Amino acid sequence: MLSAMQAGGQVRSRNYSFLSSDAGQQATQVDWAATFNDTSLPLVADLGCGAGRYVLLMGSNDAARSSNYLGLDVHKALLDRANGWAAARGLSGHVAYVQANVVVSAAAILGSYPGRHVRLVSIQYPDPQQRRRRHVVGRELVAALAEVLPSGAQVYLNSDFEDTATYMRNCFERFGAQHFDIDTTVHVPGSTFPCSEVLQPVRPDVVTPQAGRRPRASGAGDAAPGTAAWRSASGDDGPSGPGSGSESGGEGGGGGGSGGEAVDEEEVDLLFWRQGRWREAGWLLRNPVGAPTEREVYVELATRQQVYRVMLVRR
């Protein structure tokens, strides 16, 4: 019989002590043979999986057992409950959850998967109030994924805050455009809606009601996009493309909770409003992976608000 926790009882999850512990600052190792029944299958990984329902749904929908599904998060209580859910549904060996600081451990975990056969990595609905020091997406994570993902692997990003989705997309474009690009097999005509015009720098610490945008910042960020002053402040030499990205810019971009990166406030601001080439691809109208998160269902069906989705691909 499932315990109350496994059956869906409330679990206290906002505890970041793992991030500051020795274990949270070391790369997590996974015993793949003990985790999955067939390690020759491609891997689907959700970074920052929270309660884990999305991973469970992905695994449940895969009746042919064509992939393995892995959820990574820092909250052990949530992961224990999710592993209980998987066991109760007969999905153990097909769906699994592991405690890890994904910024520190992404390269070690995904890079150690047999054959590095990673098919899809998703980063969904990060906390919009934790962008600077705990945001999982930043220079460090982009570099880790560029190192270990095979050509053709997809990276799926989404949020119900447009500036948060923009920040994540811009991190990949700014720090990894030579390794990643918009997946044009998913972003096809008729499948997207345009990105909002953001002509002012935004601050990630104060939310305003208008579409998740922030008030105007002062200082070097006052330069208009596309001007020489803006390119100088942002370290940008023009529209992004192959050859631009991880070699440019400062030390900022978000630490994902690892504490391993310095946070450059100006750099973070620029990542919110930078007008790169990838914005021309727009946001996806519909979920491209066939399994929504619980938050996605709530946002689109209950509140009738928009979700901002983008699919990238490893070159």
Side-chain angles (χ1 to χ4, degrees):
M1 180 179 295
L2 294 179
S3 67
M5 178 179 292
Q6 292 171 326
Q10 291 187 350
V11 175
R12 184 179 180 87
S13 65
R14 288 190 176 276
N15 182 350
Y16 291 94
S17 60
F18 175 76
L19 291 174
S20 59
S21 69
D22 289 342
Q25 293 303 309
Q26 297 175 3
T28 299
Q29 303 297 321
V30 177
D31 183 347
W32 295 112
T35 302
F36 294 120
N37 295 333
D38 184 355
T39 58
S40 69
L41 297 176
L43 180 68
V44 173
D46 190 33
L47 308 187
C49 66
R53 292 181 177 90
Y54 160 79
V55 177
L56 192 69
L57 181 58
M58 288 282 281
S60 298
N61 288 348
D62 184 7
R65 303 290 175 96
S66 61
S67 297
N68 290 322
Y69 299 88
L70 178 70
L72 300 175
D73 204 277
V74 299
H75 301 300
K76 187 175 186 300
L78 292 179
L79 301 176
D80 288 345
R81 183 180 66 177
N83 277 316
W85 287 342
R89 288 159 176 77
L91 295 174
S92 294
H94 177 53
V95 172
Y97 302 85
V98 173
Q99 186 181 32
N101 177 342
V102 298
V103 177
V104 173
S105 299
I109 292 176
L110 300 181
S112 68
Y113 188 72
R116 289 193 177 182
H117 194 187
V118 182
R119 177 171 69 84
L120 172 68
V121 172
S122 55
I123 306 168
Q124 307 185 76
Y125 300 93
D127 186 345
Q129 300 302 321
Q130 298 290 350
R131 293 190 181 93
R132 278 188 168 83
R133 297 192 180 278
R134 286 184 178 144
H135 201 305
V136 65
V137 179
R139 180 196 297 271
E140 190 174 348
L141 183 66
V142 172
L145 294 181
E147 177 186 350
V148 301
L149 293 185
S151 177
Q154 294 176 305
V155 177
Y156 177 44
L157 311 172
N158 64 61
S159 175
D160 53 331
F161 283 81
E162 186 173 16
D163 60 353
T164 300
T166 299
Y167 175 90
M168 292 192 290
R169 184 199 65 211
N170 282 351
C171 278
F172 276 87
E173 184 175 16
R174 182 161 176 75
F175 302 135
Q178 70 270 46
H179 302 295
F180 298 94
D181 205 345
I182 295 292
D183 190 339
T184 55
T185 68
V186 178
H187 287 255
V188 297
S191 70
T192 63
F193 62 97
C195 301
S196 296
E197 293 289 342
V198 182
L199 300 179
Q200 296 178 344
V202 290
R203 299 294 300 185
D205 48 354
V206 181
V207 179
T208 60
Q210 184 181 2
R213 297 185 187 179
R214 267 77 180 163
R216 184 176 177 84
S218 60
D222 288 338
T227 65
W230 176 81
R231 288 193 293 270
S232 175
S234 67
D236 187 70
D237 293 323
S240 298
S244 65
S246 63
E247 297 304 317
S248 63
E251 294 297 320
S258 70
E261 288 186 274
V263 179
D264 184 319
E265 301 291 330
E266 180 179 312
E267 178 75 33
V268 171
D269 280 348
L270 290 167
L271 287 169
F272 277 97
W273 64 281
R274 181 172 180 268
Q275 304 290 293
R277 176 178 62 85
W278 288 4
R279 71 178 301 277
E280 297 172 5
W283 304 115
L284 292 168
L285 284 165
R286 288 172 288 278
N287 184 308
V289 298
T293 65
E294 189 176 25
R295 184 174 181 86
E296 183 174 346
V297 172
Y298 171 76
V299 169
E300 291 195 317
L301 298 184
T303 71
R304 302 293 181 180
Q305 298 298 309
Q306 190 62 258
V307 173
Y308 304 92
R309 312 175 181 93
V310 61
M311 183 71 82
L312 309 179
V313 65
R314 180 68 166 87
R315 294 179 183 273

